[in-house]
Amino acid sequence: MHGQDFAADPHGIYAKMRAFGPAAPVELVPGVDATLVTEYQAALKVLQNTTDFSRDPRRWKALNEGLIAPDNPVLPMMAYRPNCLFTDGAVHLRLRKAVTDSLDRLNIGRLRRDVEPIAAFLIDQFSERGRADLINDYAKLLPLLLFNRLFGCPADIGDRLTSSMSAIFDGRDAVRANEELTACLMELISLKRREPGDDVTSWLIQHPAGLNDEELKDQLVMLMGAGVEPERNLIGNALLLLLTSGPSGRGGSMLTEEALDHVLWNNPPIANYATHYPLHDVDLGGVHVEANTPLVISFGAANNDPALREARQSLSKGAHLAWGAGPHACPAKSPATVIALTAIEAILNALPDLTLDAPAESQEWRPGPFHRALAGLPVRFTPTPGTRVAALQSPAQPTRSTAAEPPRGSTVPVPRQQARPARKGFWSTFLDIFRV
C-alpha cells in the first residue's frame, strides 16, 4: 500500500483484495504488515465493537517484539499517544469529553471569519502569477495557518508548528520534526497557562477534566493531525472534481456541497486508518485475524463495497464511513465541512476562470498507505492584483501595500523594500498584516 501503483489506482487494488473476503493481508510500508478491512458491514462491526477490539497501539505485537524500527514512517500515525484517538474506556471518555466540549465552543460564524482572511492572504501570494499549485500553495497551507489561529499561536511558535507539522506529513526527517512539534506545543501550553485566551488551547486547559501538560500536548497533536492532512486532501480532492466535471470543466451545475459529499464517498481524504487491535484471535467473515495485530479500516474500500452499489443512491450523506463510526467517530464533522466549503468557495470566487494546467488523468497522487492525496494541482487563471487582504481589513489595519509581499515565484513572503537576515514564516507574516 506504499507504492505508486496503489496511489495511482487504489480502487483497482481494493477490487483485487476482495478476493480474500471482507478483509485482506497488506503491507502498509516495508516491514509493517496489517489486515485491511474492505467490506462495509465488517468495517462497521469493528468500528462499533469495543468488546473485541482496542484502539491502543501498545498492544501491537510486532512493535513490542522490536520488529518495527523506531524511525519507521508509519509510527507518527500509529504509535501510542495518550490522546482520545489511541485510548479506550474511561480514559477515552475523559479525554474525548475535553476535546468535544472545546470544539463545541467554536461556531460556524467564527470559523468562516477565521478561514476567509487566511484564504485571501494565500490567494494574494500567487494571484498575480496567473498560475498556482492549489495543493502546495493553498490547500496544504490553509489548514496549518487556521490551526495556528484556533490554537492561539503567537508568531514564533506558529511558524515552528507549521514547519514541523508540514515536515511530518511530507515524511521529511519525521523524528526531528516530531521533537520540534513537541517542543513548540509545550511552549504554547506553558504560555496559555500564564496568559489564557479565546482559543482551543486555553479551553482545553480550563476544562474540568484537568488535563496535565502531556495530555494537553497530545490532544493538540491529535487535533492538528486529524484536521490538517484530512482537510488538505478534502479541499484538494473536491477542487479536482469541480475543475474536471461538467461540460465546462468547472463542475457544471455541481454545488460545492455535492462535490464534498462525492469525495467523502469515493475518495475520502483519509482512506485507510482507524487501526484496531483484536483482544483475541477473531474470525472476521471467514478471515482469521490474530490478536494484537493491526486491523486497519479502509474507508475508501468500504464506501465502495459492491454490496452497496444499488443502495448508494438512497443512502443518506452520513452513511459513508469517511468520518468513522462508533465511539471514535470524528467529533468535528461540521467544522471540517465548513472549513473546506469556505476555502473552496473563496478561491473559486476569487479566480472565476480557474482551470487545470494539466489533464485530470495526469494528476499525481502522493504514495502512502493512509491518505488519498494529490501531490499537486497545477492551475492557470487570468492574473489579478493581490488586493484581497486589503479588502478584508478595517481602516485601522495596515493595507497590503505596507505589508510583506513575496517576489514572483516565491513561496515564502519577504518584505518588499529590505531583506531580512532570516525569512519570516507564513504565520508571522499573516500576523504582521492583520495585527492579530
Side-chain angles (χ1 to χ4, degrees):
M1 293 176 64
H2 50 83
Q4 191 60 55
D5 288 346
F6 178 74
D9 183 22
H11 290 292
I13 305 297
Y14 297 148
K16 294 177 181 179
M17 289 181 182
R18 298 188 199 284
F20 289 89
V26 295
E27 183 183 66
L28 299 177
V29 296
V32 178
D33 296 326
T35 303
L36 188 73
V37 181
T38 58
E39 183 188 80
Y40 185 90
Q41 289 299 328
L44 271 180
K45 176 181 177 180
V46 175
L47 290 166
Q48 296 174 341
N49 185 336
T50 59
T51 302
D52 297 318
F53 302 98
S54 168
R55 292 296 299 269
D56 190 339
R58 290 175 295 183
R59 294 180 172 276
W60 189 356
K61 181 180 177 182
L63 185 63
N64 291 334
E65 292 176 351
L67 301 178
I68 310 296
D71 61 348
N72 192 287
V74 301
L75 288 186
M77 292 285 285
M78 293 181 67
Y80 174 77
R81 294 180 187 269
N83 62 36
C84 55
L85 189 64
F86 296 129
T87 50
D88 302 306
V91 175
H92 167 254
L93 290 175
R94 170 176 165 266
L95 297 175
R96 184 178 172 95
K97 177 68 171 170
V99 169
T100 55
D101 286 352
S102 298
L103 291 177
D104 285 346
R105 295 181 67 170
L106 297 171
N107 61 69
I108 300 306
R110 171 174 176 165
L111 276 176
R112 288 188 180 276
R113 289 193 301 272
D114 285 340
V115 173
E116 287 169 352
I118 294 172
F121 168 71
L122 293 174
I123 295 168
D124 272 3
Q125 309 308 305
F126 56 75
S127 63
E128 294 182 5
R129 300 202 307 256
R131 292 178 182 273
D133 176 350
L134 293 189
I135 299 299
N136 294 296
D137 293 338
Y138 189 68
K140 173 183 175 179
L141 294 170
L142 187 145
L144 285 166
L145 298 182
L146 176 63
F147 272 81
N148 281 347
R149 185 71 172 264
L150 297 180
F151 286 1
C153 290
D156 176 60
I157 293 177
D159 283 345
R160 290 159 54 207
L161 188 65
T162 300
S163 175
S164 58
M165 205 70 191
S166 178
I168 288 173
F169 284 131
D170 291 345
R172 294 183 281 108
D173 197 3
V175 173
R176 183 208 58 77
N178 189 59
E179 292 173 352
E180 174 64 13
L181 176 67
T182 297
C184 64
L185 284 176
M186 294 303 283
E187 288 180 34
L188 178 64
I189 291 165
S190 178
L191 172 65
K192 293 300 177 178
R193 284 199 184 277
R194 300 191 310 270
E195 304 173 19
D198 186 27
D199 53 67
V200 172
T201 309
S202 299
W203 299 338
L204 282 169
I205 290 171
Q206 296 160 1
H207 194 272
L211 305 185
N212 61 40
D213 285 1
E214 192 71 15
E215 291 173 327
L216 286 164
K217 180 257 297 180
D218 284 298
Q219 305 326 300
L220 293 174
V221 171
M222 184 272 299
L223 284 170
M224 181 161 270
V228 170
E229 173 76 2
E231 200 71 56
R232 160 187 176 167
N233 301 337
L234 181 57
I235 294 169
N237 295 357
L239 280 169
L240 175 62
L241 177 63
L242 286 165
L243 293 175
T244 55
S245 62
S248 65
R250 280 296 301 268
S253 60
M254 180 180 286
L255 300 175
T256 304
E257 292 92 336
E258 293 173 328
L260 291 172
D261 192 52
H262 187 279
V263 166
L264 291 168
W265 267 108
N266 297 288
N267 277 310
I270 297 298
N272 307 289
Y273 199 45
T275 308
H276 287 68
Y277 299 86
L279 301 181
H280 50 81
D281 289 7
V282 298
D283 180 275
L284 198 62
V287 177
H288 178 78
V289 184
E290 187 179 346
N292 300 319
T293 61
L295 187 62
V296 178
I297 305 299
S298 179
F299 307 117
N303 285 349
N304 290 274
D305 185 342
L308 299 180
R309 187 168 294 140
E310 293 183 4
R312 274 170 61 97
Q313 298 300 319
S314 60
L315 288 174
S316 69
K317 292 183 178 181
H320 61 69
L321 296 180
W323 303 114
H328 286 85
C330 176
K333 292 184 288 186
S334 179
T337 302
V338 169
I339 292 165
L341 184 67
T342 306
I344 292 169
E345 291 181 341
I347 195 161
L348 294 180
N349 291 334
L351 306 172
D353 62 346
L354 196 68
T355 57
L356 287 180
D357 205 15
E361 58 272 14
S362 69
Q363 302 299 322
E364 182 181 349
W365 297 86
R366 283 166 48 213
F370 304 120
H371 53 239
R372 181 61 173 159
L374 288 160
L377 189 60
V379 294
R380 62 182 183 275
F381 47 86
T382 301
T384 60
T387 58
R388 293 161 193 83
V389 166
L392 288 172
Q393 292 171 320
S394 69
Q397 293 173 309
T399 64
R400 193 169 188 274
S401 62
T402 62
E405 182 179 51
R408 288 181 181 274
S410 173
T411 57
V412 180
V414 297
R416 177 182 295 189
Q417 297 185 356
Q418 66 179 35
R420 294 182 183 230
R423 288 181 174 181
K424 300 185 73 173
F426 271 103
W427 182 240
S428 56
T429 303
F430 176 82
L431 292 179
D432 280 350
I433 293 175
F434 279 90
R435 295 289 189 264
V436 292

